[in-house]
Each structure stands twice: as C-alpha cells, then as structure tokens.
Amino acid sequence: MAESPVHDQLAEKQRQLEQLEAEYKDFAYAVSHDLSAPLRAIEGFSSFIAEDHAQDFDDRSQRHLEHIIKGSQKAKDILTALLEFSRINTRSEAFAAVDCEALVEEIQAQEELAEWIELSGAQVDVAPLPTI
C-alpha cells in the first residue's frame, strides 16, 4: 500500500527537524568550544597580571582587573550553560522540581546584582512564586 501525501510530508518535516536539531547541537558546541579558548586566555593572563603586578596597580586598576577576571568567568559559565542546554534533548535524566522563590533569592544574593540593587536604590518585589 502506498504512503499518503500527508504521511510523506510529515516524514519529510520530521527529517528536516532532525537535521535542524543536529545542526543546532553542532553550532552550540562550536560556539561554546571556540569562545571558551579566548575566554580562558583572558582570564588566565589577567590572573597572571593581577598576581605578578598587583603591587604596581592602584586600587582602581586592581578592581578593573578583578572585573575582567569575573567577567570572563561569567562568560565561560554562560557558554557552559549554552552547551548544557543544547544537550537537553539528548539526555534521559528526569526533570527536578525548582523552587522559584529560592531561585530568585539566590540570584538577588549574587554579589554583582546585590551591588547594583544597593547602588541604584532599587527595591525588588517578587510575588509568591511556585515550585515548577
């Protein structure tokens, strides 16, 4: 019995989706891998400069170096998260419950965000959030 045109179209769309997923995974891996190396170099050389020449810098310059190091670390974390996200459909792990209120508290407690909130005089009000 011959396949129907709708079945053929569905099969073609499924093949295209699988191809797009494979391309996305390749892209995410390449971006993560290719950007990680320069970020490691920035972090590494900045750390060497901070360690070897700390006495040569004033407080402001030392803070700038710390921001460079922290920024490169954050960028590496983002790339790692991107890579993990790209692999989400290839894992058979079960989902875990996330307490959204605890997550917001954790995010607000991060040093950089807490500093921005304090400096700007902002007030963060969050309505009760669910566990998802």
Side-chain angles (χ1 to χ4, degrees):
M1 180 162 105
E3 299 290 333
S4 71
V6 172
H7 184 271
D8 291 344
Q9 288 176 340
L10 184 58
E12 176 60 19
K13 293 295 180 190
Q14 181 66 32
R15 187 195 64 73
Q16 290 174 354
L17 179 60
E18 289 170 0
Q19 182 179 351
L20 283 172
E21 286 177 344
E23 289 174 6
Y24 168 74
K25 288 175 190 169
D26 290 346
F27 172 77
Y29 178 80
V31 167
S32 174
H33 183 267
D34 292 351
L35 288 177
S36 291
L39 287 169
R40 278 192 308 272
I42 292 168
E43 181 184 359
F45 285 113
S46 297
S47 295
F48 291 145
I49 291 169
E51 291 169 10
D52 294 346
H53 301 285
Q55 70 280 0
D56 299 333
F57 296 124
D58 60 12
D59 289 342
R60 183 174 180 219
S61 297
Q62 288 179 6
R63 281 194 311 274
H64 289 168
L65 259 168
E66 289 172 9
H67 284 296
I68 292 169
I69 294 167
K70 285 182 183 179
S72 62
Q73 290 169 341
K74 284 183 183 182
K76 284 184 354 187
D77 292 344
I78 291 168
L79 288 174
T80 299
L82 172 66
L83 188 57
E84 289 294 317
F85 180 74
S86 74
R87 295 178 179 162
I88 215 163
N89 288 333
T90 63
R91 293 185 176 172
S92 60
E93 296 176 15
F95 289 103
V98 175
D99 180 348
C100 292
E101 285 190 32
L103 183 61
V104 168
E105 289 174 12
E106 182 181 328
I107 291 168
Q108 288 176 329
Q110 289 183 357
E111 182 181 330
E112 184 176 294
L113 183 57
E115 186 178 320
W116 277 104
I117 291 171
E118 184 179 338
L119 287 173
S120 67
Q123 180 177 341
V124 179
D125 293 317
V126 180
L129 296 171
T131 296
I132 56 171

